[in-house]
Amino acid sequence: MGDARTVYIASKVAECFDISKDDATRGMSWYHDQILAFYKPDGPPKLLFYYQIPEVKNIDGDFIPKAGGPPKLIVTDGDVETLRDKALYLVRTNPKGVSDKSPENDIYSGEIRGTVLDTLASLVANLYAPVLKAQKEWGKTTRESAYDCVIGVQRFGDTLTSAAHSLQGGVELIGPDQKYVNSIDLKPQAFSDAAADQETARHFEEILTDWCDKTEALLDASEDAYAMSAKEDAGPDTEVEYWRGRMAKFNSITEQLKGKECRLVLGVSMAGRSQAHKRWKAVDMRVTDASNESKDNVKYLTTLENSMTPLYEGDPRQILDGIPGLMNNVKMMHTIARYYSTSGRMTTLFKKISNQMIVNMREYITAPGILWTQDREEMLGRLELCNKVKVRYFEEYMATKDRLEQNPKGRQFDFDEDQIFAKINLFGKRVSKLLDMFTTIKQFTTLNEKNSIDGLVGPIKAFFKVVEEFKRKPYDLMDFAKNQFDRDYLEFNVSARSCAGRPWCGAFAPRC
């Protein structure tokens, strides 16, 4: 196995797993036939290399790493061996086989780091979705179908990322010592006999106490995590992501409890009527409630995904058209959802919808560049459209609220409207002021072009001097949270109105 192909692969193995080329070559020698088959046109098109402790089968028939064993190089097709760390993959790209003259041209290689879920999520988010989004030609596919494809891939990537994140920070229920697993049957009498032994009972008591501590910490931390997901600029996608993550964590606990080791712990602890078992019963009820809540919330929140898509992938015109449907779907969810219909949850959802509307509209307004350098007519059109979105959003909310009030026995929109609309109202005021200011500038520009009118040169010159001073202000005009603009805007109006007393200028004065 000393040809150029083997040397090339050995260098990749050594680089991936940080081992010497000699160690890589020796490890590969155990898989001589498998690697040779990979070189051939009719051989397997891929190979996977692991560098980890070999697995052995335990008494339950599960494969686990051999205790105290050193890591070894493993060559596999990935169908049997479990990846526990990272892998090097090789894919034969030449249908004629791998040449011994230029193997690097015939083999594509890469690393799989973390879990397979992490790797797939990264590939979809950073490779497939951007490539599809940049695609210009779609053949005979309609524009709508191409758009649906791109959105579907992006959603799939978001779901994978959310699932990968949800697996972090869960609870691993530790099992008893192997000697107990091997010696105690899953039978009531065996549980009673084990519980009668003080040392055994104490061991299981400590394990169950650890379960209680960890699970209670997860339950409490979940509420803290929800509060963090409601940060000021969070969008509605964080709601789905939070509840999916919560559901996965509690599903993990439920699945672990079905295993032999967990059933053994619960059986012995119940037979001994330990204090830890009484505590666990209360914890288990909380887990069941939390799991049911998260599943129910995910079910209903995912029904809003189509309505939410314009907030992330569309422009304000699409948002404007979609607001009635979005409001109707939110109302339906509020009406029938068992857990999510509380005032606090719904207020948070609406607040996050408002946040994302603001993010979308700010990006839309500033996409062509800073406001001062944009085409004025187009920029005013953008501002006007965003103003319509804000107005329509509030009107549809109030109309939905009024319709629900016609049925007093049903659930109402009794939410904290100050929280829901505070930021978007502030954003709307900024948009209105910018509309007024740039409309005034446009009008004075028109007036300046009529240079035949006597007596206007001085006032107009003074006005544009104020405009130039405004341009030099060091803040972002769209940063509506900062009120320095509001003070400067008042000064701008005062300067513009100084011309209002002149008969030619009165029509061009800014609005109050």
Side-chain angles (χ1 to χ4, degrees), residues 228-418:
M228 291 181 65
S229 76
K231 61 183 181 180
E232 285 303 308
D233 58 346
D237 60 336
T238 60
E239 282 292 291
V240 183
E241 182 177 343
Y242 168 78
W243 289 109
R244 275 192 180 130
R246 188 172 168 88
M247 179 178 68
K249 288 181 174 68
F250 292 120
N251 283 348
S252 173
I253 293 176
T254 303
E255 289 302 313
Q256 289 180 71
L257 291 172
K258 296 177 182 178
K260 176 183 177 181
E261 293 185 358
C262 289
R263 287 156 56 203
L264 179 60
V265 171
L266 293 176
V268 173
S269 300
M270 183 173 64
R273 298 181 180 181
S274 67
Q275 289 297 317
H277 188 264
K278 294 178 182 178
R279 181 184 171 193
W280 174 254
K281 288 175 66 177
V283 172
D284 189 45
M285 289 179 64
R286 288 184 64 191
V287 169
T288 300
D289 290 342
S291 178
N292 290 338
E293 179 188 26
S294 59
K295 289 177 182 176
D296 196 68
N297 290 348
V298 168
K299 179 175 72 174
Y300 288 110
L301 284 169
T302 51
T303 65
L304 301 179
E305 286 184 333
N306 285 337
S307 303
M308 300 287 190
T309 297
L311 299 179
Y312 291 91
E313 304 297 336
D315 59 29
R317 192 171 303 282
Q318 292 169 302
I319 294 176
L320 185 70
D321 295 338
I323 286 175
L326 170 62
M327 200 63 65
N328 184 63
N329 289 338
V330 173
K331 181 201 73 173
M332 290 296 296
M333 184 187 75
H334 173 59
T335 302
I336 61 179
R338 178 181 176 187
Y339 296 95
Y340 203 84
S341 58
T342 66
S343 177
R345 300 281 193 230
M346 294 299 298
T347 296
T348 297
L349 176 62
F350 270 117
K351 182 181 176 181
K352 291 182 176 182
I353 291 173
S354 300
N355 288 344
Q356 189 55 36
M357 281 187 179
I358 294 170
V359 169
N360 184 291
M361 290 188 285
R362 282 188 66 172
E363 291 177 352
Y364 175 75
I365 292 170
T366 59
I370 62 173
L371 270 59
W372 294 111
T373 62
Q374 291 186 32
D375 178 275
R376 193 151 291 149
E377 288 292 342
E378 291 183 3
M379 183 261 292
L380 289 172
R382 288 171 180 268
L383 291 170
E384 186 62 46
L385 176 59
C386 291
N387 194 50
K388 289 180 181 178
V389 170
K390 177 256 178 185
V391 172
R392 173 73 67 83
Y393 178 45
F394 181 76
E395 288 177 346
E396 288 293 335
Y397 175 91
M398 296 307 297
T400 304
K401 180 179 180 179
D402 291 342
R403 286 194 293 270
L404 289 173
E405 287 177 347
Q406 295 176 9
N407 179 21
K409 294 183 179 180
R411 291 177 178 172
Q412 304 297 312
F413 266 24
D414 53 349
F415 314 137
D416 189 337
E417 292 168 6
D418 289 338

